[in-house]
Amino acid sequence: MKIALDPTPFHHSHSLLEFPRLAADLGYKYLQLTPHADFIPFFNHPKADDELVGQLKKACKDADVEIASVLPVLRWSGPDEDAREAAVRYWKRAIQITVDLGVQTMNTEFSGRPEKAEESERAFYRSMEELLPIIEREGLDLLIDPHPDDFVEDGLAALRVIRGVNSPNIGMVYVASHTFHMGNKPLDIMRAAGDKLRLVHVSDTMDHHASHGLRYITNPPGNAVRVHQHLKIGDGDVNWDEFFGGLKEIGFLDKDNTVMVSSVFAEDDNANEVSRYQLETMGKYIAKVQ
């Protein structure tokens, strides 16, 4: 298993090419690349050319840090056909960048719309028809997160959609901060996913269902909002013994092709200390269940 840093908290204080050295200085051997204006921005065409990709590879080599995964977020399941077709084109370039970086794992979101779930699912499979041959040809793992406010949010339901692609190259991401949107059934989801679960994001969150659903109040009542956080371990309601115990049970912690990512976004002003804390605390929980 690779333990990686998500550098999102540092996007406004460091350049893309500084991320590998930053990760090394914080004690990480691996890095996850998330949407970034100079790399693969949210919902738009990748902005990294071959020269920048080469510079990033060199920066990783110089820092002795590897890229564990590349995370684009593109509207490939969008019910708007023009946006979906554009996202497929963007995906092809994102895949090429990932291959050129020597990375074998990509993770992403479904990126559809919950109010148009049926249309979004059709769009997802339509995009897969075009992208799957490329993904399989390149030998990539493409792992998908059922993100809050997507056309599929429940963890078990998301696994069914992933299973429907019928490819060993397509798997699942479990984001701990999305636990209470995925049905709060981590063990059931992990056991059902098995080998398809190959990447997890480690950050805490509050249970928005607590206090009779009144922990968070929006007005007017009934707003179609999703609330979650990406807090450091221990600052929320995630059951970490259950989380790490489940990963141990399905063999996630002992595999070469799995990735565990620290993805805390709530404390940018304290990001260095939090990143070190995350690495140390993940190590303690892993040692505890081994």
Side-chain angles (χ1 to χ4, degrees):
M1 183 187 68
K2 302 171 182 176
I3 299 179
L5 174 70
D6 181 333
T8 298
F10 303 96
H11 278 198
H12 300 294
S13 59
H14 293 71
S15 71
L16 176 70
L17 297 180
E18 290 175 325
F19 291 158
R21 174 54 57 192
L22 170 69
D25 290 344
L26 294 173
Y28 290 81
K29 296 180 180 179
Y30 297 94
L31 185 66
Q32 173 177 266
L33 293 177
T34 47
H36 187 280
D38 290 323
F39 188 60
I40 305 173
F42 279 106
F43 309 127
N44 286 303
H45 195 282
K47 300 304 190 290
D49 59 10
D50 290 346
E51 181 180 1
L52 183 58
V53 171
Q55 291 172 342
L56 183 56
K57 285 184 70 173
K58 183 179 185 301
C60 288
K61 183 177 180 181
D62 291 345
D64 196 22
V65 165
E66 296 181 31
I67 300 171
S69 60
V70 173
L71 195 170
V73 180
L74 303 167
R75 301 190 195 279
W76 63 334
S77 301
D80 179 83
E81 182 59 14
D82 177 67
R84 188 202 67 80
E85 288 183 354
V88 170
R89 294 194 299 272
Y90 305 162
W91 261 107
K92 290 177 181 178
R93 175 57 183 157
I95 289 170
Q96 186 59 59
I97 289 171
T98 301
V99 171
D100 290 346
L101 286 170
V103 180
Q104 291 185 306
T105 299
M106 302 183 78
N107 59 302
T108 189
E109 303 167 10
F110 282 105
S111 298
R113 294 301 312 145
E115 68 274 9
K116 292 189 175 182
E118 186 176 341
E119 297 91 333
S120 295
E121 182 170 315
R122 289 201 300 266
F124 169 73
Y125 285 120
R126 193 179 307 128
S127 296
M128 271 299 181
E129 288 176 4
E130 190 168 350
L131 292 172
L132 186 60
I134 302 172
I135 293 164
E136 292 182 333
R137 183 191 70 211
E138 299 293 352
L140 295 174
D141 272 353
L142 178 59
L143 313 173
I144 308 172
D145 156 36
H147 198 281
D149 197 45
D150 215 322
F151 77 88
V152 55
E153 299 172 288
D154 179 84
L156 294 174
L159 181 59
R160 296 184 192 107
V161 175
I162 291 167
R163 197 169 57 218
V165 180
N166 194 32
S167 171
N169 295 70
I170 309 302
M172 185 175 181
V173 179
Y174 189 107
V175 180
S177 284
H178 302 167
T179 290
F180 303 108
H181 290 279
M182 287 196 290
N184 194 15
K185 300 176 180 178
L187 290 180
D188 290 348
I189 296 167
M190 290 177 183
R191 289 165 179 164
D195 289 341
K196 289 190 178 298
L197 178 57
R198 299 195 284 276
L199 193 145
V200 297
H201 285 191
V202 178
S203 52
D204 218 330
T205 190
M206 298 288 189
D207 181 359
H208 61 284
H209 297 293
S211 299
H212 305 285
L214 297 176
R215 172 166 270 170
Y216 302 101
I217 299 173
T218 63
N219 291 304
N223 281 343
V225 298
R226 274 69 166 178
V227 177
H228 73 284
Q229 302 92 5
H230 282 248
L231 310 172
K232 72 178 187 293
I233 296 171
D235 281 359
D237 297 322
V238 172
N239 185 330
W240 292 107
D241 288 322
E242 184 179 41
F243 178 85
F244 282 94
L247 294 179
K248 174 60 179 178
E249 179 182 320
I250 66 170
F252 182 98
L253 303 177
D254 303 314
K255 295 175 182 174
D256 295 330
N257 66 335
T258 54
V259 182
M260 177 177 290
V261 183
S262 172
S263 58
V264 177
F265 306 147
E267 301 184 55
D268 286 6
D269 54 340
N270 200 31
N272 286 49
E273 291 78 5
V274 168
S275 298
R276 294 188 181 97
Y277 166 86
Q278 284 282 111
L279 184 60
E280 178 183 0
T281 307
M282 287 187 289
K284 288 179 179 178
Y285 272 104
I286 292 168
K288 184 178 179 180
V289 299
Q290 292 286 33

